[in-house]
Amino acid sequence: FSLSLKTLNQPFIKKHQYSDLSVLTHYNEVAKFGKSHAAYIENQCVGFILAEVQEWNSTLVVREFGVHPEYRRQHIGQKLIFKAIEDARAASLRCVFCETQNTNVDAIEFYKKQGFVIDGIDLAFYDSESDQQTEVAVFLRKKISKNRENIR
């Protein structure tokens, strides 16, 4: 498979709904495992990474990750990803894994700059309400070496 950029006639806009009680409950449980971090500026959360260890395959799975739009391109996201990589290395895990959408070009490019590689796609991960499929899940992975050279 390959991914290529395509200009859309209209911008693709997606808003996340974080009000689902089961999702919030799960995220609160994930945060208790100590692999999640937040970045604060003047007591305001400007970025976060929510991650958990997936024991069966020795992987740190990033469940949610984001930086407030006003604070992007200030290395906050990079520092949060580096912290996740350090957490994975300290726990002797083999990789860090995340998922995003083909429509989130900025996220894909960001992860690739941090050393992640596209590891797979899932054409059926997201429901499509129309016959035209607009979103495809893109899985990215960064292998963790035992030494710190793996961190940029």
Side-chain angles (χ1 to χ4, degrees):
F1 66 89
S2 66
L3 296 176
S4 58
L5 288 174
K6 177 182 174 185
T7 303
L8 302 176
N9 294 332
Q10 296 178 352
F12 181 84
I13 299 172
K14 179 177 180 179
K15 294 191 178 202
H16 295 283
Q17 297 295 328
Y18 292 109
S19 59
D20 183 311
L21 184 57
S22 65
V23 172
L24 292 175
T25 300
H26 176 69
Y27 286 173
N28 280 324
E29 289 302 313
V30 168
K32 293 176 185 176
F33 295 123
K35 304 295 185 218
S36 301
H37 306 281
Y40 289 85
I41 295 178
E42 297 179 9
N43 294 322
Q44 178 185 357
C45 180
V46 297
F48 71 99
I49 189 164
L50 187 67
E52 67 181 314
V53 174
Q54 191 167 269
E55 296 286 345
W56 72 269
N57 66 352
S58 189
T59 299
L60 184 66
V61 178
V62 176
R63 296 292 180 200
E64 290 289 336
F65 172 64
V67 175
H68 189 284
E70 292 179 20
Y71 294 92
R72 290 182 184 156
R73 306 206 188 294
Q74 297 179 31
H75 305 289
I76 294 167
Q78 184 181 45
K79 289 176 183 177
L80 289 166
I81 286 292
F82 285 176
K83 184 64 178 150
I85 293 167
E86 288 175 355
D87 285 349
R89 182 172 288 108
S92 299
L93 301 176
R94 65 181 185 89
C95 65
V96 178
F97 172 85
C98 63
E99 176 273 328
T100 192
Q101 305 79 34
N102 63 312
T103 55
N104 196 343
V105 175
D106 289 343
I108 294 169
E109 291 302 316
F110 171 81
Y111 285 121
K112 287 171 69 176
K113 285 180 184 174
Q114 309 316 312
F116 285 72
V117 296
I118 296 173
D119 199 44
I121 61 171
D122 187 337
L123 301 176
F125 202 73
Y126 297 101
D127 284 336
S128 179
E129 294 179 10
S130 69
D131 291 335
Q132 294 180 330
Q133 186 166 3
T134 54
E135 274 192 300
V136 171
V138 177
F139 301 105
L140 298 105
R141 183 177 315 273
K142 180 176 177 74
K143 291 182 180 177
I144 303 299
S145 67
K146 300 296 180 200
N147 58 39
R148 293 187 54 83
E149 294 171 11
N150 193 275
I151 298 179
R152 292 190 213 206

